[in-house]
Amino acid sequence: MEGTSAAANSSSLPPPSQRLSQIRRRKKRTRDEMFSEIMESSRSDRAHVNEWKETVSKYRKEVSEREDRRDQREERRDQREERRDARDERWRQEDQRMKDATLGLLRRLVEVQERLLENRLPLQPLFHPPPSPSVTDLQLPFFALENIRAFCLTC
């Protein structure tokens, strides 16, 4: 079979001059094809590079937007913390003012109480019986007795 197919191929081959002409045209066509392929490949590469650049640009834009949103959230959180800290500080100051005022009031009360205790008459010993009331004291109501005593003292 090989012989028959080789014989069939050799009979269908064009003469050498025509084959040489075809080879020359094929080389020229191959160069043109190669140039076209290179140009097409270059265009294709540029398209891929542009597509890649666009993808990278979109990605960077998304990352930048995410970072901006994160920064805004952090800034809002920081502002809330600052407001809370300021409020807490105002509460601490008000609480301290209240404590100081209460302490001052208690000190003044203690001073007043000490002055009252200094000016107080000494306690009478329990073993001395109080004087017995007179008959007139027993018959008059208390307010009348005080009025009489006051009147007598002015006389």
Short mmCIF file of all heavy atoms in Angstrom, two decimals, residues 78-144:
data_model
loop_
_atom_site.label_atom_id
_atom_site.label_comp_id
_atom_site.label_asym_id
_atom_site.label_seq_id
_atom_site.Cartn_x
_atom_site.Cartn_y
_atom_site.Cartn_z
N ASP A 78 -15.17 57.26 66.71
CA ASP A 78 -14.30 58.11 67.53
C ASP A 78 -15.06 59.32 68.06
O ASP A 78 -14.90 59.72 69.22
CB ASP A 78 -13.08 58.57 66.73
CG ASP A 78 -12.11 57.42 66.42
OD1 ASP A 78 -12.24 56.35 67.06
OD2 ASP A 78 -11.24 57.60 65.55
N GLN A 79 -15.91 59.91 67.22
CA GLN A 79 -16.70 61.07 67.65
C GLN A 79 -17.68 60.66 68.76
O GLN A 79 -17.84 61.40 69.74
CB GLN A 79 -17.47 61.67 66.47
CG GLN A 79 -16.60 62.40 65.48
CD GLN A 79 -17.36 62.82 64.23
OE1 GLN A 79 -18.50 62.42 64.01
NE2 GLN A 79 -16.72 63.63 63.40
N ARG A 80 -18.31 59.49 68.60
CA ARG A 80 -19.22 59.01 69.65
C ARG A 80 -18.47 58.79 70.95
O ARG A 80 -18.94 59.14 72.02
CB ARG A 80 -19.91 57.71 69.22
CG ARG A 80 -21.05 57.89 68.24
CD ARG A 80 -21.86 56.61 68.08
NE ARG A 80 -21.08 55.45 67.75
CZ ARG A 80 -20.82 55.00 66.52
NH1 ARG A 80 -21.30 55.65 65.48
NH2 ARG A 80 -20.10 53.92 66.34
N GLU A 81 -17.27 58.20 70.85
CA GLU A 81 -16.47 57.96 72.06
C GLU A 81 -16.07 59.28 72.71
O GLU A 81 -16.10 59.40 73.94
CB GLU A 81 -15.23 57.14 71.71
CG GLU A 81 -15.52 55.69 71.41
CD GLU A 81 -14.28 54.90 71.00
OE1 GLU A 81 -13.18 55.49 70.97
OE2 GLU A 81 -14.42 53.71 70.70
N GLU A 82 -15.69 60.27 71.89
CA GLU A 82 -15.32 61.58 72.45
C GLU A 82 -16.51 62.23 73.15
O GLU A 82 -16.36 62.80 74.23
CB GLU A 82 -14.79 62.49 71.34
CG GLU A 82 -13.41 62.10 70.83
CD GLU A 82 -12.97 62.92 69.63
OE1 GLU A 82 -13.71 63.84 69.21
OE2 GLU A 82 -11.90 62.62 69.09
N ARG A 83 -17.70 62.15 72.52
CA ARG A 83 -18.90 62.72 73.15
C ARG A 83 -19.21 61.99 74.45
O ARG A 83 -19.53 62.61 75.46
CB ARG A 83 -20.09 62.66 72.20
CG ARG A 83 -20.06 63.68 71.09
CD ARG A 83 -21.39 63.78 70.36
NE ARG A 83 -21.86 62.53 69.83
CZ ARG A 83 -21.64 62.09 68.59
NH1 ARG A 83 -20.92 62.82 67.76
NH2 ARG A 83 -22.12 60.94 68.18
N ARG A 84 -19.09 60.66 74.44
CA ARG A 84 -19.36 59.87 75.64
C ARG A 84 -18.34 60.20 76.74
O ARG A 84 -18.71 60.38 77.90
CB ARG A 84 -19.33 58.38 75.32
CG ARG A 84 -19.74 57.51 76.50
CD ARG A 84 -19.73 56.02 76.20
NE ARG A 84 -18.42 55.60 75.78
CZ ARG A 84 -18.15 54.98 74.63
NH1 ARG A 84 -19.09 54.72 73.77
NH2 ARG A 84 -16.92 54.62 74.32
N ASP A 85 -17.07 60.33 76.35
CA ASP A 85 -16.04 60.68 77.34
C ASP A 85 -16.30 62.06 77.92
O ASP A 85 -16.14 62.27 79.13
CB ASP A 85 -14.65 60.61 76.70
CG ASP A 85 -14.22 59.19 76.37
OD1 ASP A 85 -14.88 58.24 76.86
OD2 ASP A 85 -13.24 59.03 75.61
N ALA A 86 -16.69 63.02 77.07
CA ALA A 86 -16.98 64.38 77.55
C ALA A 86 -18.18 64.35 78.50
O ALA A 86 -18.16 65.01 79.55
CB ALA A 86 -17.25 65.31 76.37
N ARG A 87 -19.20 63.59 78.14
CA ARG A 87 -20.39 63.47 79.00
C ARG A 87 -20.00 62.83 80.33
O ARG A 87 -20.40 63.31 81.40
CB ARG A 87 -21.46 62.63 78.30
CG ARG A 87 -22.76 62.51 79.08
CD ARG A 87 -23.70 61.49 78.47
NE ARG A 87 -23.08 60.19 78.54
CZ ARG A 87 -23.13 59.27 77.60
NH1 ARG A 87 -23.77 59.49 76.48
NH2 ARG A 87 -22.56 58.09 77.76
N ASP A 88 -19.21 61.78 80.28
CA ASP A 88 -18.77 61.12 81.51
C ASP A 88 -17.95 62.08 82.37
O ASP A 88 -18.10 62.08 83.60
CB ASP A 88 -17.93 59.87 81.19
CG ASP A 88 -18.77 58.74 80.59
OD1 ASP A 88 -20.01 58.84 80.62
OD2 ASP A 88 -18.16 57.77 80.10
N GLU A 89 -17.11 62.88 81.74
CA GLU A 89 -16.32 63.85 82.50
C GLU A 89 -17.22 64.89 83.15
O GLU A 89 -17.01 65.26 84.31
CB GLU A 89 -15.29 64.53 81.58
CG GLU A 89 -14.38 65.48 82.29
CD GLU A 89 -13.55 64.85 83.38
OE1 GLU A 89 -13.24 63.65 83.32
OE2 GLU A 89 -13.21 65.58 84.33
N ARG A 90 -18.24 65.36 82.43
CA ARG A 90 -19.19 66.31 83.02
C ARG A 90 -19.90 65.68 84.21
O ARG A 90 -20.09 66.32 85.24
CB ARG A 90 -20.21 66.79 81.98
CG ARG A 90 -19.65 67.78 80.98
CD ARG A 90 -20.76 68.42 80.15
NE ARG A 90 -21.64 67.48 79.50
CZ ARG A 90 -21.45 66.94 78.31
NH1 ARG A 90 -20.39 67.27 77.60
NH2 ARG A 90 -22.32 66.09 77.80
N TRP A 91 -20.30 64.42 84.05
CA TRP A 91 -20.97 63.72 85.16
C TRP A 91 -20.03 63.59 86.36
O TRP A 91 -20.43 63.78 87.50
CB TRP A 91 -21.45 62.35 84.72
CG TRP A 91 -22.65 62.38 83.83
CD1 TRP A 91 -23.42 63.45 83.49
CD2 TRP A 91 -23.22 61.27 83.15
NE1 TRP A 91 -24.42 63.09 82.65
CE2 TRP A 91 -24.32 61.75 82.42
CE3 TRP A 91 -22.90 59.93 83.08
CZ2 TRP A 91 -25.11 60.93 81.65
CZ3 TRP A 91 -23.69 59.10 82.31
CH2 TRP A 91 -24.78 59.59 81.60
N ARG A 92 -18.75 63.23 86.09
CA ARG A 92 -17.79 63.11 87.19
C ARG A 92 -17.60 64.45 87.90
O ARG A 92 -17.56 64.51 89.13
CB ARG A 92 -16.45 62.60 86.66
CG ARG A 92 -16.39 61.10 86.49
CD ARG A 92 -14.97 60.62 86.24
NE ARG A 92 -14.44 61.02 84.94
CZ ARG A 92 -14.68 60.39 83.80
NH1 ARG A 92 -15.42 59.31 83.80
NH2 ARG A 92 -14.17 60.82 82.67
N GLN A 93 -17.51 65.53 87.12
CA GLN A 93 -17.35 66.85 87.72
C GLN A 93 -18.57 67.23 88.55
O GLN A 93 -18.44 67.75 89.66
CB GLN A 93 -17.09 67.89 86.63
CG GLN A 93 -15.73 67.77 85.98
CD GLN A 93 -15.57 68.71 84.80
OE1 GLN A 93 -16.51 69.38 84.39
NE2 GLN A 93 -14.36 68.75 84.25
N GLU A 94 -19.76 66.98 88.01
CA GLU A 94 -20.99 67.29 88.73
C GLU A 94 -21.08 66.45 90.00
O GLU A 94 -21.45 66.95 91.07
CB GLU A 94 -22.21 67.06 87.84
CG GLU A 94 -23.53 67.43 88.48
CD GLU A 94 -23.62 68.91 88.83
OE1 GLU A 94 -22.98 69.74 88.16
OE2 GLU A 94 -24.34 69.23 89.79
N ASP A 95 -20.72 65.19 89.90
CA ASP A 95 -20.73 64.31 91.06
C ASP A 95 -19.75 64.83 92.12
O ASP A 95 -20.07 64.86 93.31
CB ASP A 95 -20.35 62.89 90.64
CG ASP A 95 -20.53 61.89 91.76
OD1 ASP A 95 -21.58 61.92 92.42
OD2 ASP A 95 -19.60 61.07 91.97
N GLN A 96 -18.57 65.26 91.69
CA GLN A 96 -17.59 65.80 92.64
C GLN A 96 -18.10 67.09 93.27
O GLN A 96 -17.92 67.30 94.47
CB GLN A 96 -16.25 66.05 91.92
CG GLN A 96 -15.13 66.42 92.85
CD GLN A 96 -14.83 65.33 93.86
OE1 GLN A 96 -14.80 64.15 93.52
NE2 GLN A 96 -14.62 65.71 95.10
N ARG A 97 -18.76 67.95 92.47
CA ARG A 97 -19.33 69.19 93.04
C ARG A 97 -20.38 68.85 94.10
O ARG A 97 -20.43 69.48 95.15
CB ARG A 97 -19.94 70.05 91.94
CG ARG A 97 -18.93 70.88 91.18
CD ARG A 97 -19.60 71.95 90.33
NE ARG A 97 -20.37 71.40 89.23
CZ ARG A 97 -19.89 71.12 88.03
NH1 ARG A 97 -18.63 71.35 87.77
NH2 ARG A 97 -20.66 70.63 87.10
N MET A 98 -21.21 67.86 93.80
CA MET A 98 -22.24 67.45 94.77
C MET A 98 -21.60 66.90 96.03
O MET A 98 -22.03 67.21 97.15
CB MET A 98 -23.17 66.40 94.15
CG MET A 98 -24.01 66.92 92.99
SD MET A 98 -25.18 68.17 93.51
CE MET A 98 -26.34 67.16 94.37
N LYS A 99 -20.56 66.10 95.88
CA LYS A 99 -19.87 65.56 97.05
C LYS A 99 -19.23 66.67 97.86
O LYS A 99 -19.31 66.67 99.10
CB LYS A 99 -18.80 64.55 96.61
CG LYS A 99 -19.36 63.24 96.12
CD LYS A 99 -18.24 62.33 95.65
CE LYS A 99 -18.78 61.03 95.09
NZ LYS A 99 -17.70 60.19 94.55
N ASP A 100 -18.59 67.62 97.17
CA ASP A 100 -17.96 68.74 97.87
C ASP A 100 -19.00 69.58 98.61
O ASP A 100 -18.78 69.99 99.76
CB ASP A 100 -17.18 69.62 96.89
CG ASP A 100 -15.94 68.92 96.32
OD1 ASP A 100 -15.51 67.90 96.91
OD2 ASP A 100 -15.42 69.39 95.29
N ALA A 101 -20.13 69.84 97.95
CA ALA A 101 -21.19 70.62 98.59
C ALA A 101 -21.74 69.88 99.81
O ALA A 101 -21.95 70.48 100.88
CB ALA A 101 -22.31 70.91 97.60
N THR A 102 -21.96 68.60 99.68
CA THR A 102 -22.46 67.79 100.80
C THR A 102 -21.46 67.78 101.94
O THR A 102 -21.82 67.94 103.11
CB THR A 102 -22.76 66.35 100.33
OG1 THR A 102 -23.68 66.40 99.25
CG2 THR A 102 -23.33 65.52 101.45
N LEU A 103 -20.18 67.63 101.61
CA LEU A 103 -19.14 67.63 102.63
C LEU A 103 -19.08 68.98 103.34
O LEU A 103 -18.97 69.05 104.57
CB LEU A 103 -17.79 67.29 102.00
CG LEU A 103 -16.61 67.18 102.95
CD1 LEU A 103 -16.85 66.04 103.95
CD2 LEU A 103 -15.34 66.93 102.17
N GLY A 104 -19.19 70.07 102.60
CA GLY A 104 -19.19 71.41 103.20
C GLY A 104 -20.38 71.59 104.12
O GLY A 104 -20.25 72.14 105.23
N LEU A 105 -21.54 71.13 103.69
CA LEU A 105 -22.75 71.22 104.51
C LEU A 105 -22.58 70.42 105.80
O LEU A 105 -22.90 70.91 106.90
CB LEU A 105 -23.96 70.73 103.72
CG LEU A 105 -25.30 70.76 104.42
CD1 LEU A 105 -25.67 72.21 104.76
CD2 LEU A 105 -26.36 70.13 103.56
N LEU A 106 -22.06 69.22 105.69
CA LEU A 106 -21.85 68.40 106.88
C LEU A 106 -20.84 69.05 107.83
O LEU A 106 -21.02 69.02 109.05
CB LEU A 106 -21.38 67.00 106.48
CG LEU A 106 -22.44 66.11 105.82
CD1 LEU A 106 -21.80 64.81 105.32
CD2 LEU A 106 -23.56 65.81 106.79
N ARG A 107 -19.79 69.64 107.29
CA ARG A 107 -18.81 70.33 108.14
C ARG A 107 -19.45 71.49 108.89
O ARG A 107 -19.20 71.70 110.08
CB ARG A 107 -17.64 70.83 107.30
CG ARG A 107 -16.69 69.74 106.90
CD ARG A 107 -15.50 70.28 106.14
NE ARG A 107 -14.59 69.17 105.81
CZ ARG A 107 -13.80 69.16 104.78
NH1 ARG A 107 -13.77 70.20 103.94
NH2 ARG A 107 -13.01 68.14 104.55
N ARG A 108 -20.28 72.28 108.19
CA ARG A 108 -20.96 73.39 108.84
C ARG A 108 -21.91 72.89 109.92
O ARG A 108 -22.01 73.47 111.00
CB ARG A 108 -21.70 74.24 107.81
CG ARG A 108 -20.75 75.15 107.03
CD ARG A 108 -21.50 76.17 106.19
NE ARG A 108 -22.26 75.56 105.10
CZ ARG A 108 -21.75 75.24 103.90
NH1 ARG A 108 -20.48 75.47 103.66
NH2 ARG A 108 -22.50 74.70 102.98
N LEU A 109 -22.62 71.78 109.64
CA LEU A 109 -23.51 71.21 110.65
C LEU A 109 -22.74 70.76 111.88
O LEU A 109 -23.18 70.97 113.02
CB LEU A 109 -24.30 70.04 110.06
CG LEU A 109 -25.42 70.41 109.09
CD1 LEU A 109 -26.01 69.15 108.46
CD2 LEU A 109 -26.51 71.20 109.80
N VAL A 110 -21.59 70.15 111.67
CA VAL A 110 -20.76 69.72 112.80
C VAL A 110 -20.28 70.93 113.59
O VAL A 110 -20.30 70.93 114.83
CB VAL A 110 -19.58 68.86 112.30
CG1 VAL A 110 -18.55 68.66 113.39
CG2 VAL A 110 -20.08 67.52 111.79
N GLU A 111 -19.87 72.00 112.89
CA GLU A 111 -19.44 73.22 113.59
C GLU A 111 -20.57 73.80 114.43
O GLU A 111 -20.37 74.18 115.60
CB GLU A 111 -18.97 74.27 112.58
CG GLU A 111 -17.65 73.94 111.91
CD GLU A 111 -17.32 74.91 110.78
OE1 GLU A 111 -18.07 75.90 110.56
OE2 GLU A 111 -16.30 74.67 110.10
N VAL A 112 -21.78 73.87 113.85
CA VAL A 112 -22.93 74.41 114.59
C VAL A 112 -23.21 73.53 115.81
O VAL A 112 -23.44 74.02 116.92
CB VAL A 112 -24.17 74.50 113.67
CG1 VAL A 112 -25.44 74.76 114.47
CG2 VAL A 112 -23.96 75.59 112.63
N GLN A 113 -23.17 72.24 115.60
CA GLN A 113 -23.44 71.32 116.71
C GLN A 113 -22.37 71.47 117.81
O GLN A 113 -22.69 71.47 118.99
CB GLN A 113 -23.46 69.88 116.18
CG GLN A 113 -24.01 68.89 117.17
CD GLN A 113 -24.17 67.51 116.55
OE1 GLN A 113 -23.52 67.20 115.56
NE2 GLN A 113 -25.03 66.71 117.13
N GLU A 114 -21.12 71.62 117.41
CA GLU A 114 -20.06 71.82 118.41
C GLU A 114 -20.27 73.12 119.18
O GLU A 114 -20.09 73.17 120.39
CB GLU A 114 -18.69 71.83 117.73
CG GLU A 114 -18.22 70.47 117.28
CD GLU A 114 -16.93 70.50 116.48
OE1 GLU A 114 -16.51 71.62 116.06
OE2 GLU A 114 -16.35 69.43 116.27
N ARG A 115 -20.66 74.19 118.47
CA ARG A 115 -20.93 75.47 119.17
C ARG A 115 -22.09 75.33 120.13
O ARG A 115 -22.05 75.86 121.24
CB ARG A 115 -21.20 76.57 118.15
CG ARG A 115 -19.93 77.26 117.72
CD ARG A 115 -20.21 78.50 116.90
NE ARG A 115 -20.01 78.12 115.51
CZ ARG A 115 -20.84 78.37 114.51
NH1 ARG A 115 -21.94 79.03 114.72
NH2 ARG A 115 -20.58 77.98 113.30
N LEU A 116 -23.12 74.60 119.71
CA LEU A 116 -24.27 74.39 120.60
C LEU A 116 -23.86 73.61 121.83
O LEU A 116 -24.30 73.89 122.95
CB LEU A 116 -25.40 73.68 119.86
CG LEU A 116 -26.16 74.50 118.83
CD1 LEU A 116 -27.16 73.63 118.09
CD2 LEU A 116 -26.88 75.66 119.51
N LEU A 117 -23.03 72.62 121.66
CA LEU A 117 -22.58 71.81 122.78
C LEU A 117 -21.69 72.62 123.72
O LEU A 117 -21.73 72.43 124.94
CB LEU A 117 -21.85 70.57 122.30
CG LEU A 117 -22.72 69.49 121.67
CD1 LEU A 117 -21.84 68.36 121.11
CD2 LEU A 117 -23.71 68.93 122.66
N GLU A 118 -20.89 73.55 123.18
CA GLU A 118 -20.04 74.38 124.03
C GLU A 118 -20.87 75.33 124.90
O GLU A 118 -20.55 75.58 126.04
CB GLU A 118 -19.08 75.20 123.17
CG GLU A 118 -17.97 74.41 122.54
CD GLU A 118 -17.16 75.23 121.55
OE1 GLU A 118 -17.45 76.43 121.36
OE2 GLU A 118 -16.24 74.65 120.94
N ASN A 119 -21.96 75.87 124.36
CA ASN A 119 -22.79 76.85 125.06
C ASN A 119 -23.88 76.19 125.91
O ASN A 119 -24.64 76.89 126.57
CB ASN A 119 -23.43 77.81 124.07
CG ASN A 119 -22.38 78.64 123.35
OD1 ASN A 119 -21.32 78.90 123.92
ND2 ASN A 119 -22.66 79.04 122.13
N ARG A 120 -23.96 74.92 125.89
CA ARG A 120 -25.01 74.22 126.63
C ARG A 120 -24.67 74.17 128.11
O ARG A 120 -23.51 74.05 128.49
CB ARG A 120 -25.13 72.80 126.07
CG ARG A 120 -26.31 72.06 126.56
CD ARG A 120 -26.41 70.75 125.82
NE ARG A 120 -26.31 69.71 126.85
CZ ARG A 120 -26.19 68.45 126.60
NH1 ARG A 120 -26.09 68.05 125.37
NH2 ARG A 120 -26.16 67.58 127.57
N LEU A 121 -25.70 74.24 128.90
CA LEU A 121 -25.51 74.12 130.33
C LEU A 121 -25.05 72.72 130.67
O LEU A 121 -25.47 71.76 130.03
CB LEU A 121 -26.83 74.41 131.07
CG LEU A 121 -27.31 75.84 130.99
CD1 LEU A 121 -28.67 75.98 131.64
CD2 LEU A 121 -26.32 76.78 131.68
N PRO A 122 -24.21 72.59 131.65
CA PRO A 122 -23.76 71.24 132.00
C PRO A 122 -24.92 70.42 132.53
O PRO A 122 -25.86 70.95 133.11
CB PRO A 122 -22.71 71.48 133.08
CG PRO A 122 -22.89 72.88 133.54
CD PRO A 122 -23.62 73.61 132.47
N LEU A 123 -24.84 69.17 132.33
CA LEU A 123 -25.89 68.27 132.80
C LEU A 123 -25.87 68.23 134.32
O LEU A 123 -24.82 68.30 134.96
CB LEU A 123 -25.67 66.87 132.24
CG LEU A 123 -25.82 66.73 130.73
CD1 LEU A 123 -25.47 65.32 130.30
CD2 LEU A 123 -27.23 67.07 130.30
N GLN A 124 -27.05 68.14 134.88
CA GLN A 124 -27.18 68.04 136.34
C GLN A 124 -26.96 66.59 136.74
O GLN A 124 -27.37 65.67 136.05
CB GLN A 124 -28.58 68.49 136.78
CG GLN A 124 -28.90 69.92 136.43
CD GLN A 124 -27.96 70.89 137.15
OE1 GLN A 124 -27.61 70.67 138.33
NE2 GLN A 124 -27.55 71.95 136.47
N PRO A 125 -26.31 66.38 137.87
CA PRO A 125 -26.12 65.00 138.32
C PRO A 125 -27.47 64.37 138.65
O PRO A 125 -28.39 65.02 139.11
CB PRO A 125 -25.26 65.13 139.56
CG PRO A 125 -25.09 66.57 139.84
CD PRO A 125 -25.69 67.35 138.72
N LEU A 126 -27.58 63.11 138.42
CA LEU A 126 -28.83 62.41 138.65
C LEU A 126 -29.13 62.17 140.13
O LEU A 126 -30.25 61.98 140.51
CB LEU A 126 -28.79 61.05 137.91
CG LEU A 126 -28.83 61.16 136.39
CD1 LEU A 126 -28.72 59.76 135.78
CD2 LEU A 126 -30.11 61.81 135.94
N PHE A 127 -28.14 62.19 140.97
CA PHE A 127 -28.39 61.90 142.39
C PHE A 127 -29.02 63.08 143.12
O PHE A 127 -29.51 62.94 144.21
CB PHE A 127 -27.12 61.43 143.10
CG PHE A 127 -25.98 62.39 142.99
CD1 PHE A 127 -25.82 63.40 143.94
CD2 PHE A 127 -25.05 62.26 141.98
CE1 PHE A 127 -24.76 64.27 143.83
CE2 PHE A 127 -23.99 63.14 141.90
CZ PHE A 127 -23.83 64.14 142.82
N HIS A 128 -29.05 64.29 142.57
CA HIS A 128 -29.76 65.41 143.19
C HIS A 128 -31.18 65.43 142.65
O HIS A 128 -31.38 65.57 141.46
CB HIS A 128 -29.10 66.75 142.85
CG HIS A 128 -27.74 66.91 143.45
ND1 HIS A 128 -27.58 67.26 144.76
CD2 HIS A 128 -26.49 66.77 142.95
CE1 HIS A 128 -26.28 67.35 145.03
NE2 HIS A 128 -25.61 67.04 143.94
N PRO A 129 -32.17 65.31 143.51
CA PRO A 129 -33.54 65.33 143.01
C PRO A 129 -33.92 66.74 142.55
O PRO A 129 -33.46 67.73 143.12
CB PRO A 129 -34.37 64.90 144.21
CG PRO A 129 -33.51 65.15 145.39
CD PRO A 129 -32.08 65.11 144.93
N PRO A 130 -34.75 66.83 141.52
CA PRO A 130 -35.18 68.14 141.05
C PRO A 130 -36.06 68.80 142.12
O PRO A 130 -36.68 68.11 142.92
CB PRO A 130 -35.95 67.85 139.78
CG PRO A 130 -36.33 66.44 139.87
CD PRO A 130 -35.32 65.76 140.74
N PRO A 131 -36.12 70.13 142.13
CA PRO A 131 -36.96 70.79 143.13
C PRO A 131 -38.42 70.42 142.95
O PRO A 131 -38.87 70.22 141.82
CB PRO A 131 -36.70 72.27 142.89
CG PRO A 131 -36.14 72.36 141.52
CD PRO A 131 -35.49 71.06 141.23
N SER A 132 -39.12 70.29 144.02
CA SER A 132 -40.53 69.90 143.93
C SER A 132 -41.34 71.10 143.46
O SER A 132 -41.08 72.24 143.85
CB SER A 132 -41.04 69.42 145.29
OG SER A 132 -40.88 70.43 146.24
N PRO A 133 -42.34 70.87 142.66
CA PRO A 133 -43.12 71.98 142.13
C PRO A 133 -44.01 72.58 143.23
O PRO A 133 -44.46 71.87 144.12
CB PRO A 133 -43.93 71.35 141.02
CG PRO A 133 -43.93 69.92 141.30
CD PRO A 133 -42.71 69.61 142.12
N SER A 134 -44.25 73.84 143.07
CA SER A 134 -45.15 74.51 144.04
C SER A 134 -46.58 74.26 143.63
O SER A 134 -46.87 73.80 142.53
CB SER A 134 -44.85 76.01 144.09
OG SER A 134 -45.19 76.59 142.86
N VAL A 135 -47.46 74.57 144.48
CA VAL A 135 -48.89 74.36 144.22
C VAL A 135 -49.35 75.23 143.07
O VAL A 135 -50.13 74.80 142.24
CB VAL A 135 -49.70 74.67 145.51
CG1 VAL A 135 -51.19 74.58 145.26
CG2 VAL A 135 -49.27 73.76 146.61
N THR A 136 -48.86 76.41 142.97
CA THR A 136 -49.29 77.30 141.89
C THR A 136 -48.82 76.76 140.55
O THR A 136 -49.53 76.89 139.55
CB THR A 136 -48.73 78.72 142.09
OG1 THR A 136 -47.32 78.64 142.18
CG2 THR A 136 -49.33 79.38 143.29
N ASP A 137 -47.65 76.13 140.53
CA ASP A 137 -47.17 75.56 139.28
C ASP A 137 -48.08 74.43 138.81
O ASP A 137 -48.31 74.28 137.63
CB ASP A 137 -45.75 75.02 139.45
CG ASP A 137 -44.73 76.14 139.59
OD1 ASP A 137 -45.09 77.29 139.25
OD2 ASP A 137 -43.59 75.85 140.01
N LEU A 138 -48.57 73.68 139.72
CA LEU A 138 -49.38 72.52 139.34
C LEU A 138 -50.75 72.95 138.83
O LEU A 138 -51.36 72.27 138.05
CB LEU A 138 -49.54 71.58 140.54
CG LEU A 138 -48.26 70.90 141.00
CD1 LEU A 138 -48.53 70.08 142.24
CD2 LEU A 138 -47.70 70.03 139.90
N GLN A 139 -51.27 74.07 139.31
CA GLN A 139 -52.63 74.45 138.93
C GLN A 139 -52.66 75.24 137.62
O GLN A 139 -53.67 75.27 136.96
CB GLN A 139 -53.24 75.31 140.04
CG GLN A 139 -53.45 74.51 141.31
CD GLN A 139 -53.88 75.40 142.46
OE1 GLN A 139 -53.87 76.63 142.34
NE2 GLN A 139 -54.25 74.78 143.57
N LEU A 140 -51.61 75.88 137.24
CA LEU A 140 -51.62 76.70 136.04
C LEU A 140 -51.09 75.89 134.84
O LEU A 140 -50.20 75.06 134.99
CB LEU A 140 -50.72 77.92 136.23
CG LEU A 140 -51.17 78.92 137.29
CD1 LEU A 140 -50.11 79.99 137.46
CD2 LEU A 140 -52.47 79.55 136.87
N PRO A 141 -51.66 76.16 133.68
CA PRO A 141 -51.10 75.51 132.49
C PRO A 141 -49.69 76.02 132.23
O PRO A 141 -49.29 77.07 132.71
CB PRO A 141 -52.05 75.91 131.38
CG PRO A 141 -53.09 76.77 131.96
CD PRO A 141 -52.82 76.96 133.42
N PHE A 142 -48.96 75.28 131.45
CA PHE A 142 -47.54 75.55 131.23
C PHE A 142 -47.31 76.93 130.63
O PHE A 142 -46.48 77.68 131.08
CB PHE A 142 -46.94 74.45 130.33
CG PHE A 142 -45.51 74.69 130.02
CD1 PHE A 142 -44.53 74.46 130.97
CD2 PHE A 142 -45.11 75.15 128.77
CE1 PHE A 142 -43.20 74.69 130.69
CE2 PHE A 142 -43.78 75.39 128.49
CZ PHE A 142 -42.83 75.15 129.46
N PHE A 143 -48.08 77.29 129.58
CA PHE A 143 -47.86 78.58 128.91
C PHE A 143 -48.16 79.74 129.86
O PHE A 143 -47.50 80.76 129.80
CB PHE A 143 -48.68 78.70 127.62
CG PHE A 143 -50.15 78.71 127.82
CD1 PHE A 143 -50.83 79.91 128.03
CD2 PHE A 143 -50.88 77.54 127.80
CE1 PHE A 143 -52.19 79.92 128.20
CE2 PHE A 143 -52.24 77.55 127.97
CZ PHE A 143 -52.91 78.74 128.18
N ALA A 144 -49.13 79.57 130.74
CA ALA A 144 -49.44 80.64 131.71
C ALA A 144 -48.30 80.79 132.70
O ALA A 144 -47.93 81.90 133.07
CB ALA A 144 -50.74 80.34 132.43
#
